[in-house]
Amino acid sequence: MSAAHGMVAQLARFAGALRSGGFRVGLSEEIDAAAALALVDLLDRAEVHRTLRIAFRLPRDAWDAFDRLFEEYWDGRHVPQHPALDHALERESLRPAQWRWDGQRVRLEMPDERERPEGDTPGYSPEAALRRKPFEEFSESDLAVMERLVAQLARRLATRRSRRRVPTAARGVVDLRRSFRRALASDGDFLKLARRARPLDETRLVILFDTSGSMDVYTRVLLAFAFALRRVVRRVEIFAFNTTLVRVTRMIAPGKVLRSLESLSAGVPDWSGGTRIGACLAEFVALHKDVRVDRNTVVVCVSDGLDQGDTELLERSMRELRSRAGKIIWLNPLLGDARYRPECAGMRAALPYVDHFAPAHNLDSLRGLLRLVA
Amino acid sequence: MNEQIRATQAAMERWGYVADPEIATAVYLAREMRKPLLVEGEAGVGKTEIAKVLARMLSTELVRLQCYEGLDSNTALYEWNYQRQLLRLKIAEREARNPDELEDLIFGREYLLERPLLRAITRREGPAVLLIDEIDRADEGFEAFLLELLSDFQITIPELGTIRAEHVPVVVLTSNRSREIGDALRRRCLYLYLEHPGFEKELRILRGKVPAVSEQLATTVTRFVQRLRAQPLRKLPGVAETLDWAQALVRLHRDVLDAETARATLGCLLKDEQDIKSTGEERLAELLAYAAAKD
């Protein structure tokens, strides 16, 4: 076997090891790496290392894992299963989980559990007071007020204009290029000016809802929020999940939150049961290919991350979503509690892939969401 | 180390860029493999500077395309000089010319305004250095368009036909990672990630770029900034900020750094209100003590 051939074979094995370690290293990376290695001093270990990093196009957050893999591989030791995952986990200091089952739902156990302070003062406008009111305390009439408010907030989503200008038949700035072309047809007279304007840049939303028991108190209000969004933004897809994933976009009658909720709990099996987030996300990624998830899509996952399933599956699905979506927002109602730390396994696995990790326990926090989305 | 990489490193240093082996390797590989170089990293670590130094090294023209949200291919490629074309048409009315002839005339090369990308591929004297700065700010649509250009290095103008690159330019793309660059574009490039420089490197950059600074002040300033970067800040100061700060201190004729001067000139380093506020007297004193220490 020639030296060059041996090098290529070794490179291919190394690339394979990288792939199984969770790196996105494709054939074009391998080809570039081979071409690059032919140009450098192969006896200089540091130089080979640098060259591979450049040719494999590894982003900064993958360096540590890559370095470890490089070392182990070059020393001929066994390749670990998931270096990228190990790395992500190391960043958070690990403390034991603090969840307690109180007979009805899973609760956060705090060292100094105290009464939640009352946020609302009499004499406020209902909306102002509602904004701070925790969802646990929402009544039916609160829901109606909230729907109005949310609709108003959600409109902002649908009215963001792109910075680019595209041809339009309506008003806009004069497009000289096209006007000129038109004028040629009439001997250089500008009979009608062509115009350009900024199109509406509609964000697509995919909302994935956790309807398991631990989310019960929030589900109703958060779903109401999703309904309101749907009325304003045309391109919203809503999924509910617990142990299975159900597409609920069409089960929803806008404006009738309660009735929709009833039909939902009838249509979604195991409503208020346990959760298998990983399996449900994997199903979403694998099966719902018709739901477009691209750079214009914001994926909103609403869950407390209390997963009973496979966290490795959750991690893999999150990585897949990350590579496709423009933005991933994880709303966790528990985050509204200042003492909360995302320490359960599911949440830890998902966090490295999330752009915004935000609370969703009152209307003010949902307002924050609109800012993130638009 | 490969001789040519060493030579690249030396050449970059000669032109005022302190390059560590990683940077030299990336620049060398990009040139040899004729691939664009995608440089990512925080603001102020010297991404753009790489392209500038390359242009000086190769003694060629630097063509720069600054990306922004809403940048479209017209602005990046070419535009017709409509005003001139109109004028020509009006004059032509009196001359009663043949229409075909007229069209050839007003869609000639001299009515074409070259924008950066067209300029980069039509340079005759040799390959230009094309800097596509902050590509993460442009829309994805523009990225796709760029992809086509970077693979074929030719541009089709409907009125003129296809223009092929005279010389394939040396392309450097930079990104602040405000969003992820698409996979397809990434695949076309070699990749370099720049970090904030370490103490030795930053000191060398500082001495090179601000010769007026005394040895002692340069050491103090560099130690201060290195320590400052370890603080939890919203916006870490880059090398550019270090240079600005040293420059300011030189102008103020300060040879030693005291608390009062540091406080007054902190705006050179920290460009975020909250960062300035969070750097209180106590922390400032601690930073200064660290900076002044000898070890």
Side-chain angles (χ1 to χ4, degrees), chain B residues 28-206:
Chain B
Y28 165 73
L29 286 177
R31 282 193 59 207
E32 283 297 311
M33 294 167 69
R34 292 170 163 269
K35 285 206 151 215
L37 180 62
L38 170 62
V39 190
E40 288 193 330
E42 303 226 8
V45 290
K47 299 186 292 292
T48 304
E49 202 60 27
I50 289 183
K52 291 185 181 164
V53 167
L54 256 176
R56 263 179 271 152
M57 254 168 73
L58 307 172
S59 53
T60 181
E61 185 184 354
L62 176 73
V63 181
R64 178 173 181 164
L65 176 66
Q66 172 67 49
C67 297
Y68 52 88
E69 204 185 338
L71 173 67
D72 57 14
S73 47
N74 293 352
T75 331
L77 262 186
Y78 70 91
E79 196 63 91
W80 289 102
N81 190 339
Y82 303 107
Q83 287 82 351
R84 253 188 97 186
Q85 282 177 322
L86 273 178
L87 218 62
R88 192 71 193 84
L89 269 181
K90 288 292 159 203
I91 296 168
E93 268 173 20
R94 271 177 271 145
E95 292 171 357
R97 269 179 191 252
N98 167 357
D100 286 343
E101 202 181 311
L102 183 61
E103 193 178 327
D104 282 349
L105 183 69
I106 62 169
F107 285 115
R109 261 300 210 347
E110 60 269 41
Y111 291 88
L112 190 68
L113 298 174
E114 282 184 346
R115 299 296 187 217
L117 293 181
L118 185 62
R119 170 77 200 139
I121 70 164
T122 52
R123 187 175 191 271
R124 295 197 173 199
E125 300 85 359
V129 172
L130 172 61
L131 167 64
I132 301 174
D133 216 0
E134 304 187 316
I135 175 71
D136 50 332
R137 289 206 201 178
D139 313 77
E140 271 108 31
F142 185 74
E143 209 178 275
F145 157 78
L146 210 56
L147 206 60
E148 191 190 332
L149 179 81
L150 290 183
S151 56
D152 303 336
F153 289 104
Q154 61 177 38
I155 287 166
T156 302
I157 299 174
E159 298 88 350
L160 277 182
T162 301
I163 300 179
R164 216 171 272 283
E166 309 260 345
H167 303 275
V168 172
V170 181
V171 184
V172 177
L173 300 104
T174 76
S175 157
N176 283 329
R177 303 207 65 186
S178 63
R179 70 177 171 85
E180 197 128 351
I181 306 301
D183 262 358
L185 185 58
R186 198 177 275 271
R187 291 240 150 93
R188 291 281 144 83
C189 308
L190 291 181
Y191 179 80
L192 175 66
Y193 182 88
L194 287 188
E195 291 191 300
H196 290 295
F199 174 75
E200 295 293 333
K201 186 179 171 187
E202 185 156 31
L203 185 62
R204 280 176 64 203
I205 298 171
L206 179 55

Side-chain angles (χ1 to χ4, degrees), chain A residues 198-212:
Chain A
R198 303 205 152 124
L200 284 177
D201 217 8
E202 219 178 297
T203 315
R204 243 190 306 274
L205 269 180
V206 174
I207 303 181
L208 298 159
F209 249 104
D210 187 343
T211 64
S212 62

Side-chain angles (χ1 to χ4, degrees), chain A residues 165 172-179 190 193-196:
Chain A
R165 288 182 208 274
V173 298
V174 173
D175 181 353
L176 271 178
R177 182 176 282 207
R178 276 167 54 243
S179 300
F190 286 82
L193 290 176
R195 291 176 186 277
R196 294 191 303 159

Side-chain angles (χ1 to χ4, degrees), chain A residues 52-313:
Chain A
L52 287 181
R53 213 152 67 174
I54 291 165
F56 279 140
R57 309 180 244 289
L58 294 176
R60 178 65 186 84
D61 47 4
W63 279 11
D64 290 351
F66 172 79
D67 290 355
R68 235 180 306 158
L69 208 51
F70 181 85
E71 237 163 62
E72 292 186 26
Y73 193 81
W74 247 241
D75 295 344
R77 271 190 279 138
H78 184 66
V79 177
Q81 281 278 287
H82 278 285
L85 181 60
D86 293 347
H87 173 59
L89 291 183
E90 267 168 28
R91 276 189 306 198
E92 302 259 4
S93 62
L94 304 185
R95 286 206 335 233
Q98 298 174 313
W99 305 99
R100 187 161 55 92
W101 174 256
D102 68 359
Q104 283 179 313
R105 63 174 77 105
V106 181
R107 287 175 53 92
L108 251 189
E109 186 164 281
M110 294 298 169
D112 54 337
E113 191 87 46
R114 262 174 287 133
E115 281 277 296
R116 197 183 290 270
E118 283 295 318
D120 39 354
T121 325
Y124 266 39
S125 78
E127 286 175 8
L130 261 184
R131 281 180 193 156
R132 299 258 172 75
K133 192 168 181 177
F135 289 155
E136 293 99 313
E137 296 158 22
F138 263 43
S139 67
E140 302 308 328
S141 58
D142 285 345
L143 270 185
V145 176
M146 192 210 71
E147 252 202 287
R148 259 208 324 276
L149 181 64
V150 164
Q152 186 189 326
L153 298 175
R155 202 155 296 133
R156 274 191 37 201
L157 260 185
T159 49
R160 181 186 179 271
R161 294 216 169 253
S162 161
R163 303 292 295 269
R164 224 155 32 96
R165 288 182 208 274
V166 298
T168 172
R171 282 186 300 179
V173 298
V174 173
D175 181 353
L176 271 178
R177 182 176 282 207
R178 276 167 54 243
S179 300
F180 197 79
R181 287 242 125 231
R182 268 190 209 175
L184 286 181
S186 47
D187 238 359
D189 289 325
F190 286 82
L191 297 180
K192 188 163 187 285
L193 290 176
R195 291 176 186 277
R196 294 191 303 159
R198 303 205 152 124
L200 284 177
D201 217 8
E202 219 178 297
T203 315
R204 243 190 306 274
L205 269 180
V206 174
I207 303 181
L208 298 159
F209 249 104
D210 187 343
T211 64
S212 62
S214 60
M215 289 285 290
D216 240 7
V217 283
Y218 309 106
T219 307
R220 210 177 55 167
V221 182
L222 289 175
L223 271 178
F225 180 68
F227 300 167
L229 275 181
R230 187 173 173 231
R231 200 155 46 169
V232 188
V233 187
R234 266 178 303 127
R235 294 185 288 189
V236 180
E237 283 287 351
I238 305 173
F239 290 82
F241 67 88
N242 35 60
T243 50
T244 46
L245 180 79
V246 182
R247 189 172 189 165
V248 298
T249 315
R250 269 169 255 294
M251 290 188 202
I252 290 163
K256 291 178 189 141
V257 176
L258 282 178
R259 182 162 331 147
S260 299
L261 276 172
E262 278 161 27
S263 72
L264 273 179
S265 35
V268 179
D270 207 11
W271 186 273
S272 298
T275 342
R276 281 168 41 227
I277 307 178
C280 291
L281 284 188
E283 193 186 330
F284 172 72
V285 169
L287 294 182
H288 293 276
K289 297 270 185 200
D290 58 321
V291 179
R292 216 164 117 194
V293 177
D294 61 14
R295 298 268 147 207
N296 270 332
T297 311
V298 177
V299 176
V300 182
C301 194
V302 188
S303 168
D304 52 12
L306 284 175
D307 193 10
Q308 300 172 332
D310 185 357
T311 51
E312 198 177 303
L313 198 57

Side-chain angles (χ1 to χ4, degrees), chain B residues 15 41 43 53 93 96 127 131 133-134 170 216 223 228 248 257 282 291 294:
Chain B
W15 290 105
V53 167
E93 268 173 20
L131 167 64
D133 216 0
E134 304 187 316
V170 181
Q216 194 204 341
R223 282 180 69 95
L228 188 61
L257 196 54
E282 232 168 85
K294 283 277 179 281

